[in-house]
Every structure is written in C-alpha cells, then in structure tokens.
Amino acid sequence: MRTQVAIVGAGPAGLTLGHLLHREGIDSVILEGRRREYVEARIRAGVLEHDVAALFDEAGVGERLRREGLVHTGVELQADGERHRIAFDELTGKSIVVYGQTEIVKDLIEARLASGRQLQFEVSDVTLHELESDRPRVRFGHEGAEWELECDVVAGCDGFHGVSRESIPPDVLRSFTREYPYGWLGILAAVAPSNDELVYAHHERGFALLSMRSPELSRLYLQCAPDESLEGWSDGRIWEELHTRLGMEGWELREGQILEKGVTPMRSFVAEPMQWGSLYLAGDAAHIVPPTGAKGLNLAVRDVHVLAEALAAWYRTGKRELLERYSETCLRRVWRAEHFSWWMTTTLHRGPSDDEFGLRLQQSQLRYLRSSVAAATSLAENYVGVEAA
Ligand code: FAD
Ligand code: DHB
C-alpha cells in the first residue's frame, strides 16, 4: 500500500486533515482504531470559534453546520448570584457557533466516503517506522491481515492516548503538564436550553456550566473530583446541584430526561516539538487543555489547517519552509490557548485546598471582568479565537 500522507486517527484532527488534503488533490489514508459508530457517538466538545466554523464552510463541509449550528454573540459569566454578559460581537466583531463535535465528525466522515479516498475503521496494532527517512511506513492489522503503508509523511492525529507521540525519541520530546484537582461531570438532557447563551458559573460549591446542543437538547457540567464515581450521582442529585450552582432570582433551570452522563478529568499538556522527521503531531496527540475555555477541538482543527497548507505548498513547489515552521507556528497558538484555558479554569473553579486568599483573587477578577471593557475584551478575543503574537 502507498499513499502521500498516512493519517493515524479519525477524530476531528485526522478527518479534517484528510478533507483539506483531498481539496488540494493530495492522497491520504486514514487509520482509525475504533468502529465508525463509536467515533460518531463520542460526546465531547460543542463550541466552534468564528474562524474554525468559517474554515469548515470554505472547505465545503459547513452546510449542516450553517443550518443547525447555533450562532452565539456572547456568553454569560455568573458570580455572586448575578450574571454578566460578555458581548463577543461588540467587543471583537466575532461570534461563536455551538455545534457538537459528534455532528462535525459525522459530516466529515460523510465527506470522506464521498471523496472515495480511504478511511479504515477498526485497525489494530499501529506502529510507525523509519520516521527519520523520507519514506516512512505505518504497519497495522486490519480484518485479520497485517498491512504496511508506505508514505511521504505521517500525521499523528491519534489523540492523547495514541501511539504517535511515543514514536518521538524521549531525548527529543519535552512534555509540559499540569493536573487539576477537579474534573467535570457532564450530562446531555432532553430539554430545551434554559438560557439563550452559555452560562459559566462561579459558585462556592464549585463551577457549573450551562450549554446546549440544539433547541431541544441541553448540555450541562458540574465541577467534581477528577476520579468522581457516577454511582453517587442519581439524576435527582445532579439536577439539585445544578439548581444550586446555576440558580438566580427570577430564573428557572428546566429539567429533562438525562440521556448521557460522564466524567472528564482535567489536565494541561503540551509536547514539544510537534514534528520529528517525517512525523507531524496534531490536536490532542500534541496538547491537551482543560475544557473551560472550549479550545480543544478548535486547536486540533487549526493545527491541521496549518499542516494541510504546508503540505500543499511542499507538493506544489518542493519548498519545505512552511513544513519546517509547522511546530513553531502551531505552538505559539497552542500556548496562548493553554494560558487562556488555565486562566478560565483557575478563575472559575474552587480547588479542595484553595484558601480564602485564592477566593478573594477570583472574586476580584470576576468583578474586574464586569467593570472593565479591557478585561472583558481580553476574555472575548481569546474565546472567539485570537492569532497568537
Ligand atoms: P481525538 O478526538 O481524541 O481523536 C483521536 C482519534 O484517534 C480517536 O478517534 C481514536 O480512537 C484514534 N486513535 C487513538 N489511538 C489510535 C491508534 N493507536 N490507532 C488508530 N487510531 C487511534 N473539548 C472542548 O473544547 N470541550 C469539551 O467539553 C470537551 N470535552 C471532552 C471530553 C472528553 C472525555 C475528552 C477526551 C475530550 C474533550 N474535549 C473537549 C477535547 C476535544 O474533544 C478534543 O480536543 C478533540 O477531540 C481533539 O481532536 P483530535 O482529533 O485531536 O483527537
Ligand atoms: C461546552 C464545552 C466546553 O468545554 C465549554 O467551555 C463550553 C461548552 C459544550 O460541551 O457545550
């Protein structure tokens, strides 16, 4: 087997890369460990930055996103039982689109199948070889047989637990990590969202977030322990806690049937460099952010956009400059998002060992965001997506 670009992983990064390359006439093979149904049902992120939604549009996969995605021109921050709106459109001229990662993945898989290019689900034992050469190889198992795929470059889009990052020698790879003493308990509920816009709530009992997927589906999160067991969380207790943390005079949280529950631990992580030899890492394979800034999916898509343009320039002209700058270009944006995500997280969550000093700092920062246009603008431009200097 031979292709130009071997892509490991059919998450948002791998599927978007395959699609952008196809638009440039570049062949790729996407190798995914899981079943199609599993990949399409995995509930994760829900917020697209302005330019990421525009990218899907320009790439010809934005038709359903434009029809069903919910354009939001702001979010609300809640503290001390009061809500304050951060008006993205007024402060930055941009907006965001609420559209589930599951839906993007479905749209991209459909586009891939229509392109006729290869996407193989349920592959096993993926290993990367000869990455220091310009003829790297990917070996894998599929339908009982063993395969070797020869290519020009390998794109490691296989998420945090994938095999690609580990293929970089330990003396080359530097990792930066921060663990948080909390996680999120997320639910999907069959009920109309109780607010038109997302609500990020600071509360003494812990953070809560009101989000949504459609006019009929609410998505809600509660800060919990990183290893929280779902056993102690009956539907009744989840709603009670959401009422407490999101509650406000004159506002009612609507309850509905809980369709899905899950716990997500939180970490910050960056691997440097994002390229070694013929291997290019993209998305969660290279970096993780805590979800509070809604950046994970957006970073993944922006990485592969840079990579697709660099590969297209190389195939077109033979010049490697953009490819050589790939890691540096991405890492500037990644670190901006790392800072923003860490800041949103530590401003809005209460850690088990946080003291009163920490609480006073959070309260002051939240008041500053309410009173200062400069502070609100800084949040807004990072949230809608900023080009890192
Ligand atoms: P992934 O989506 O992880 O895709 C990687 C793909 O590679 C997967 O399909 C996997 O099956 C496949 N793979 C892995 N190993 C191999 C292998 N060895 N061989 C072949 N295939 C392999 N972000 C937000 O902004 N908001 C959220 O609320 C949010 N919630 C999240 C909840 C969870 C539980 C997780 C894990 C992440 C969440 N994120 C969230 C982050 C966001 O979903 C990710 O940043 C995004 O999915 C990154 O896309 P990706 O394509 O880089 O990686
Ligand atoms: C959602 C997830 C986030 O991490 C976030 O910051 C906002 C919304 C969501 O899943 O809808």
Side-chain angles (χ1 to χ4, degrees):
M1 273 175 96
R2 155 128 200 105
T3 188
Q4 289 173 290
V5 181
I7 301 175
V8 187
L15 289 165
T16 304
L17 179 62
H19 183 73
L20 295 176
L21 292 176
H22 168 65
R23 305 264 299 178
E24 297 283 351
I26 299 168
D27 189 47
S28 63
V29 173
I30 307 181
L31 302 171
E32 166 60 45
R34 303 285 194 156
R35 290 162 54 233
R36 178 179 175 181
E37 296 73 29
Y38 180 90
V39 172
E40 290 188 341
R42 203 163 35 190
I43 299 178
R44 289 180 170 180
V47 173
L48 296 184
E49 292 173 357
H50 188 275
D51 292 350
V52 168
L55 172 71
F56 284 124
D57 254 349
E58 283 155 25
V61 281
E63 197 261 327
R64 196 161 68 94
L65 189 158
R66 282 293 160 225
R67 203 161 15 97
E68 297 177 16
L70 310 168
V71 175
H72 285 195
T73 56
V75 294
E76 295 194 65
L77 287 185
Q78 180 171 333
D80 297 329
E82 273 179 45
R83 288 192 190 156
H84 174 74
R85 181 162 190 267
I86 307 282
F88 297 152
D89 51 349
E90 285 167 28
L91 297 168
T92 69
K94 292 186 174 180
S95 50
I96 53 163
V97 182
V98 178
Y99 189 65
Q101 182 168 329
T102 44
E103 306 315 299
I104 290 166
V105 165
K106 283 182 211 159
D107 296 345
L108 288 166
I109 289 177
E110 203 176 293
R112 181 71 182 182
L113 298 177
S115 77
R117 301 209 193 255
Q118 285 201 61
L119 162 56
Q120 303 196 342
F121 290 100
E122 296 183 78
V123 304
S124 60
D125 306 316
V126 172
T127 52
L128 312 184
H129 304 270
E130 292 168 64
L131 292 169
E132 280 175 287
S133 77
D134 56 7
R135 278 285 169 276
R137 283 147 215 279
V138 180
R139 298 204 187 112
F140 61 97
H142 188 52
E143 294 178 342
E146 292 196 2
W147 299 85
E148 185 173 272
L149 176 62
E150 189 190 279
C151 54
D152 301 326
V153 301
V154 178
C157 302
D158 47 353
F160 184 67
H161 300 286
V163 293
S164 298
R165 192 177 61 250
E166 262 87 72
S167 306
I168 300 180
D171 58 330
V172 175
L173 193 76
R174 281 195 73 188
S175 300
F176 303 81
T177 309
R178 184 151 299 185
E179 305 277 346
Y180 300 86
Y182 31 75
W184 279 8
L185 193 168
I187 63 161
L188 186 69
V191 60
S194 304
N195 201 56
D196 289 342
E197 294 182 331
L198 272 60
V199 181
Y200 287 83
H202 178 268
H203 193 276
E204 61 189 22
R205 292 178 61 83
F207 172 74
L209 170 62
L210 180 154
S211 181
M212 60 206 69
R213 285 292 176 273
S214 73
E216 299 84 33
L217 280 178
S218 294
R219 178 88 173 134
L220 296 132
Y221 298 95
L222 284 170
Q223 178 187 338
C224 62
D227 55 353
E228 189 84 32
S229 158
L230 281 173
E231 268 174 33
W233 287 92
S234 65
D235 292 4
R237 179 168 172 221
I238 291 174
W239 286 116
E240 195 184 313
E241 197 61 36
L242 286 167
H243 279 291
T244 305
R245 298 191 198 178
L246 288 164
M248 236 190 23
E249 281 272 318
W251 179 83
E252 195 60 43
L253 174 68
R254 280 192 284 267
E255 295 185 16
Q257 189 195 351
I258 296 182
L259 306 172
E260 211 256 0
K261 281 184 217 182
V263 172
T264 311
M266 283 202 198
R267 70 163 69 80
S268 299
F269 172 84
V270 181
E272 292 186 359
M274 287 171 60
Q275 173 258 331
W276 183 73
S278 303
L279 171 65
Y280 295 79
L281 299 179
D284 279 16
H287 41 73
I288 298 284
V289 286
T292 325
K295 286 287 154 227
L297 168 63
N298 292 291
L299 280 181
V301 173
R302 284 175 178 264
D303 284 352
V304 296
H305 185 213
V306 174
L307 183 55
E309 291 201 332
L311 286 168
W314 177 51
Y315 280 117
R316 213 168 35 236
T317 66
K319 295 203 175 103
R320 303 187 63 91
E321 282 153 312
L322 292 181
L323 275 180
E324 280 162 8
R325 287 215 303 269
Y326 169 74
S327 179
E328 189 194 330
T329 304
C330 289
L331 283 168
R332 295 178 87 89
R333 183 171 15 77
V334 166
W335 277 111
R336 174 88 304 277
E338 289 288 343
H339 181 274
F340 176 64
S341 304
W342 162 84
W343 175 80
M344 281 286 278
T345 301
T346 53
T347 300
L348 289 166
H349 291 69
R350 299 278 300 132
S353 59
D354 284 1
D355 56 12
E356 289 290 309
F357 182 82
L359 179 61
R360 290 288 187 276
L361 291 181
Q362 289 180 330
Q363 289 168 335
S364 170
Q365 186 63 24
L366 289 162
R367 280 196 303 272
Y368 183 45
L369 285 163
R370 283 202 286 263
S371 62
S372 159
V373 175
T377 305
S378 173
L379 190 161
E381 72 176 6
N382 278 281
Y383 199 100
V384 299
V386 69
E387 274 314 311

